[in-house]
Amino acid sequence: MIKQQQLFNLTYSMLFTGFLLIFPSTSSAVQSYWDSEIIESFASGSANEISMKIDSSGDIHVAYSNSTTKQIKYAKKSGGAWAIDVVDTHGTQLLIGSSLALDASNNPHISYGINNVSGSLNYASKSGGSWTNRSTTVSGWSPGYTAIEVDTSGDAKIATGTDLRLSTYNGAWSTETAYIVGTPEGIQVDIAIDSNDKIYLSHAVQPSQRNLAYTTNASGAWVTQTVDSVSNSGNNSSIELNPVTDDPSIVSSRNGTSKYIMFHSFNGTSWAFQVVDTGDSSYAEPDLDFDTSGNPYVSYYQFNGGNQTVEFATKSGGVWSSETAKNLGNTSSDTSIGLDASGTVSIAYAALVGGFSELQLATREAGNLLNGVNADIDVRTGPNTFTGADQSGGITVDSINVTGDGRIKKQAAQSTTEASFESTSFIGDVFSIFDLALDDATLNGTARITFNYTDLLGLLSASGFEESDLQVYHHLGGSNYETLSVFARDEVANTITVDTTSFSDFGIGVNPEPTTLLLLGSGLLGLLPRRKKQV
């Protein structure tokens, strides 16, 4: 993976006739980017029915099932490290339909079913470092999807279909039916709960059409409404309460002749809808979350032949925008989205990378969402020549030969890249830094890297330089850096290509001569003859 970070307030200086001259560089807002990491890599099987929550401390919790090992698993990231528990294992049957909730103390609660065991609903919770597992029988339920929340008393509320039912565990089990057999069908069901412990469900109705519906007991009795009358609109849905209005909202997918991700909002009396995304590709597994201001954030899976992606969308100023968070290649995935208190967006998903099945987490820092540089290269290497490119086209790496089965990604320890160049003897202006590492493999010979600097043209012009002035600088550690020889320069495509024998911080910028620095400080740079770009 490669991290690209726009730097600002970087100063350079020189000692001249006894005076220290300071020349501030052009400022630029820090751009956000998608980062990704491995939660678990699987020797067999894969992560299914992924459910993620972010707690009040910013710790990330993920529940998921593995169909091959017949396990329910739970992963938690705290203090920068992942810890993984096996919650339950069944010797012969699949454990399916995992759903995760957190209580007021940030303890995890997971619901799931046992495939081919009629009515078998299971519930596990962790407190004091230990898991407690419980089970009950929901009459007439063919185990599939479950959805769990925890109420203000700490009681578990679990929704299930085929019949739409709500089971409560408060030391003992009780189950109530929201609808009778033959009316709605909770093919995929999701749940939300308000501060008064009222329940809100999204699900499918009418088995032959599977329309999207909404069921609640907010009035004291179970009431249902059809939200979307389009066939199969209820197959995939996610429901959340807007933290500002406390009204429910639902995201869902339509995959008929026209394909959409839909956002439905309730105003207390009726439902309104908006199109989040539409195209020729099919969509599935949408998930919804809100920030504290009531802005919606959506993750979903898009598939079109062999090109599967994890997508991200958000709404700002009444307008929806979307982008690709992760390219998956030829594999499908559930998605689950969450935001922490700082506004960082996280999406959990499954990926197939170089034959390895992995549970991964993509994160995007708060800031200029949907307008940053997507610098996620995150590719497997092997003992053969390798070529790869990041999703945005900002970086291309080719002619790599390595020993070992490794990964090209950002460095694990993220020291500030600006400081890495400030610690060198470099006195120029670094417009952009790419932090690149090769893990678990050894580079044989050289690697050829092409950097696209289109997003730097404004900074370059404002600083009074031409594209031909751009160089690539390589931090070698400590106070040492080198200027890499340019293999190729394309001022039409806005790219510069260099060869390197190692990976670390690569800075894109200019390192002017002392005379140029002095003129910059005195404001006389514009009096110099300018080099004209050759066309």
Side-chain angles (χ1 to χ4, degrees):
M1 199 182 315
I2 301 170
K3 176 180 179 182
Q4 177 173 338
Q5 181 179 10
Q6 298 295 331
L7 302 180
F8 57 99
N9 296 330
L10 178 65
T11 61
Y12 45 88
S13 62
M14 64 176 291
L15 191 62
F16 182 74
T17 63
F19 295 95
L20 183 67
L21 304 180
I22 305 296
F23 310 105
S25 69
T26 304
S27 297
S28 175
V30 176
Q31 292 184 331
S32 58
Y33 65 96
W34 283 105
D35 192 5
S36 65
E37 61 186 289
I38 300 171
I39 301 174
E40 183 178 7
S41 183
F42 302 94
S44 61
S46 60
N48 302 295
E49 293 143 351
I50 300 164
S51 181
M52 181 187 69
K53 300 292 182 183
I54 301 178
D55 68 25
S56 57
S57 300
D59 293 341
I60 301 173
H61 308 248
V62 185
Y64 51 101
S65 64
N66 185 311
S67 59
T68 301
T69 60
K70 300 177 175 62
Q71 293 175 326
I72 295 294
K73 304 190 79 172
Y74 162 79
K76 179 182 179 181
K77 186 179 184 182
S78 181
W82 287 99
I84 299 175
D85 296 343
V86 175
V87 177
D88 198 1
T89 301
H90 196 285
T92 60
Q93 299 296 334
L94 305 183
L95 301 180
I96 58 177
S98 52
S99 178
L100 171 69
L102 303 177
D103 62 26
S105 299
N106 294 329
N107 295 313
H109 300 250
I110 301 174
S111 60
Y112 55 99
I114 301 178
N115 192 42
N116 294 327
V117 179
S118 180
S120 179
L121 175 61
N122 292 260
Y123 161 55
S125 61
K126 186 177 184 181
S127 180
S130 299
W131 286 96
T132 302
N133 297 64
R134 313 160 188 88
S135 63
T136 189
T137 299
V138 179
S139 178
W141 180 50
S142 178
Y145 291 101
T146 72
I148 188 172
E149 281 290 358
V150 179
D151 69 15
T152 56
S153 299
D155 299 337
K157 303 287 185 177
I158 305 173
T160 56
T162 305
D163 296 336
L164 190 64
R165 293 182 176 171
L166 183 76
S167 297
T168 300
Y169 185 82
N170 58 5
W173 286 101
S174 62
T175 298
E176 56 186 305
T177 301
Y179 285 97
I180 61 173
V181 177
T183 307
E185 182 183 0
I187 296 169
Q188 184 180 38
V189 60
D190 197 26
I191 187 172
I193 189 169
D194 67 18
S195 58
N196 296 315
D197 294 335
K198 298 301 183 181
I199 303 296
Y200 305 82
L201 305 172
S202 65
H203 57 94
V205 298
Q206 299 178 358
S208 63
Q209 295 185 356
R210 299 180 179 180
N211 310 114
L212 176 64
Y214 156 73
T215 297
T216 182
N217 63 358
S219 65
W222 289 109
V223 176
T224 189
Q225 291 178 319
T226 297
V227 178
D228 192 341
S229 59
V230 173
S231 295
N232 297 312
S233 58
N235 284 349
N236 296 272
S237 68
S238 173
I239 188 169
E240 290 289 338
L241 301 182
N242 187 312
V244 175
T245 65
D246 216 27
D247 289 326
S249 294
I250 300 172
V251 290
S252 62
S253 61
R254 290 181 183 175
N255 285 309
T257 304
S258 300
K259 299 172 174 59
Y260 303 97
I261 291 291
M262 306 293 296
F263 176 78
H264 311 269
S265 56
F266 189 65
N267 62 9
T269 57
S270 61
W271 287 90
F273 72 88
Q274 296 174 324
V275 174
V276 176
D277 198 359
T278 185
D280 296 330
S281 302
S282 296
Y283 302 103
E285 309 301 339
D287 196 32
L288 172 65
D289 201 4
F290 285 93
D291 64 20
T292 55
S293 299
N295 298 309
Y297 295 76
V298 180
S299 66
Y300 50 102
Y301 160 65
Q302 176 178 287
F303 55 99
N304 185 8
N307 184 27
Q308 274 70 268
T309 57
V310 173
E311 298 291 314
F312 165 72
T314 188
K315 183 183 177 184
S316 178
V319 178
W320 284 95
S321 301
S322 63
E323 69 177 25
T324 298
K326 181 70 178 180
N327 280 317
L328 297 177
N330 191 21
T331 185
S332 60
S333 176
D334 299 324
T335 74
S336 188
I337 193 170
L339 281 78
D340 66 16
S342 70
T344 295
V345 180
S346 296
I347 302 175
Y349 58 93
L352 187 64
V353 182
F356 292 81
S357 181
E358 297 174 346
L359 175 63
Q360 296 188 356
L361 184 79
T363 56
R364 184 154 201 172
E365 294 178 354
N368 195 20
L369 288 172
L370 300 175
N371 291 300
V373 174
N374 189 337
D376 182 4
I377 192 166
D378 193 16
V379 289
R380 289 277 183 185
T381 66
N384 301 313
T385 299
F386 162 78
T387 299
D390 67 277
Q391 295 175 14
S392 67
I395 299 286
T396 300
V397 181
D398 59 16
S399 300
I400 286 183
N401 185 281
V402 300
T403 300
D405 184 13
R407 179 185 294 273
I408 299 173
K409 65 174 189 176
K410 70 176 179 62
Q411 297 187 62
Q414 290 189 32
S415 58
T416 74
T417 53
E418 181 176 353
S420 72
F421 269 86
E422 287 179 338
S423 67
T424 72
S425 54
F426 187 83
I427 58 174
D429 194 357
V430 177
F431 293 125
S432 186
I433 285 179
F434 298 82
D435 185 10
L436 176 62
L438 175 64
D439 280 5
D440 302 322
T442 302
L443 176 65
N444 299 320
T446 61
R448 182 157 294 161
I449 308 176
T450 299
F451 299 93
N452 185 295
Y453 55 82
T454 301
D455 58 323
L456 304 181
L457 292 176
L459 290 174
L460 188 65
S461 176
S463 298
F465 294 103
E466 300 283 353
E467 291 179 56
S468 58
D469 294 319
L470 279 177
Q471 298 290 335
V472 178
Y473 306 100
H474 186 205
H475 183 216
L476 301 175
S479 61
N480 299 314
Y481 79 95
E482 64 178 342
T483 303
L484 295 176
S485 297
V486 176
F487 174 81
R489 190 189 298 271
D490 187 337
E491 295 188 11
V492 176
N494 301 325
T495 61
I496 184 170
T497 301
V498 297
D499 289 337
T500 184
T501 57
S502 63
F503 293 111
S504 60
D505 292 340
F506 296 88
I508 314 298
V510 294
N511 195 6
E513 297 297 326
T515 301
T516 306
L517 282 171
L518 181 59
L519 291 172
L520 275 170
S522 63
L524 300 176
L525 180 63
L527 300 180
L528 287 179
R530 299 300 300 272
R531 286 170 288 177
K532 301 296 184 182
K533 183 186 294 188
Q534 300 299 315
V535 180

